Amino acid sequence: WPAASAGWEWLLYLGDGDGNPVGSPLTSGGSLQVPGTGHATDSNQVEIIMRAQVPQGTPPFTVDILQVTAEDTKGNQGVVTDTTVVQEGQVRIVKEASLDGTNYFSSLEVKPGQQVYQRLRFINIGTQNLREVVLFDVIPSHSSYVAGSATDGGGELTIAYSTDGGATYQGVEPAASQVASLRWEYQGNGGELEPGIEKQVIFRIEIR
């Protein structure tokens, strides 16, 4: 499967049949060997999950076309074309950092051994309630997650942790050194973020 038309990075996973990725992803431009018996309920089917990494600042209505070719051991081929269109953004996300947990800035100079607060503020800038608002953030290189530091917005967001680069997430916090990325799902107000409403989450990292 070649690079997509807009140059986005795509990740390809085997699925477990319930929409969950299995194992590490494969990036654009390669091939994926699938097992003889599938992960899906029907043993003759294999679930493939694809995720696009859309660059920040991509203009609305940008179109990306990706073509995937499947070939069996006898050389028979099937081709699927995916067309993805970037929609108008309705959530603004601001990431800031702090050394004292009070004064936040867009950038900081830090030293090894320091703990840094990471804050994500998100606001509905659209005109309608939004559902299924999910935030992701990664633990930066040369740093490690501080155990128990991720906040849940006063119970309005559920936190999940990934130890494999975002392929899978779990609700129970693992050892801090294993946390590679974090995910928050907004559950407040029945899961609907109203226009103009701003929320935030915070976690800490230690610089190595």
Side-chain angles (χ1 to χ4, degrees):
W1 58 311
S5 64
W8 299 347
E9 185 69 79
W10 283 80
L11 302 178
L12 192 71
Y13 301 83
L14 284 175
D16 64 359
D18 293 318
N20 302 305
V22 175
S24 300
L26 179 80
T27 56
S28 302
S31 61
L32 181 68
Q33 293 280 352
V34 298
T37 57
H39 291 280
T41 303
D42 185 342
S43 62
N44 294 319
Q45 297 179 354
V46 174
E47 181 181 49
I48 302 294
I49 297 173
M50 301 177 65
R51 291 179 174 172
Q53 306 287 343
V54 183
Q56 185 174 0
T58 299
F61 311 116
T62 298
V63 178
D64 183 88
I65 300 174
L66 179 70
Q67 188 175 84
V68 179
T69 301
E71 181 176 320
D72 65 17
T73 55
K74 297 180 180 179
N76 300 311
Q77 291 188 346
V79 179
V80 175
T81 300
D82 175 88
T83 301
T84 299
V85 182
V86 176
Q87 300 299 314
E88 292 270 17
Q90 292 184 294
V91 177
R92 178 183 293 124
I93 301 175
V94 178
K95 184 171 183 179
E96 301 161 311
S98 171
L99 292 176
D100 59 12
T102 301
N103 301 295
Y104 282 86
F105 305 93
S106 59
S107 63
L108 281 177
E109 290 187 6
V110 296
K111 300 177 181 179
Q114 286 184 311
Q115 288 194 6
V116 181
Y117 292 81
Q118 306 276 285
R119 179 171 73 178
L120 294 173
R121 295 189 291 116
F122 59 102
I123 182 172
N124 181 352
I125 61 174
T127 59
Q128 298 180 339
N129 289 5
L130 298 178
R131 297 186 61 84
E132 299 182 6
V133 177
V134 182
L135 302 176
F136 296 88
D137 204 358
V138 299
I139 305 303
S141 59
H142 306 296
S143 68
S144 56
Y145 171 73
V146 175
S149 65
T151 65
D152 62 1
E156 291 189 318
L157 297 102
T158 58
I159 309 172
Y161 308 83
S162 177
T163 60
D164 55 11
T168 59
Y169 283 87
Q170 61 187 56
V172 178
E173 182 177 304
S177 61
Q178 296 180 344
V179 177
S181 59
L182 298 162
R183 182 186 71 193
W184 294 266
E185 295 186 44
Y186 180 67
Q187 304 291 334
N189 191 39
E192 296 192 358
L193 185 65
E194 297 174 312
I197 297 299
E198 178 178 317
K199 302 292 181 179
Q200 69 176 33
V201 294
I202 297 172
F203 65 100
R204 298 199 314 276
I205 58 173
E206 183 170 324
I207 307 301
R208 295 199 298 267

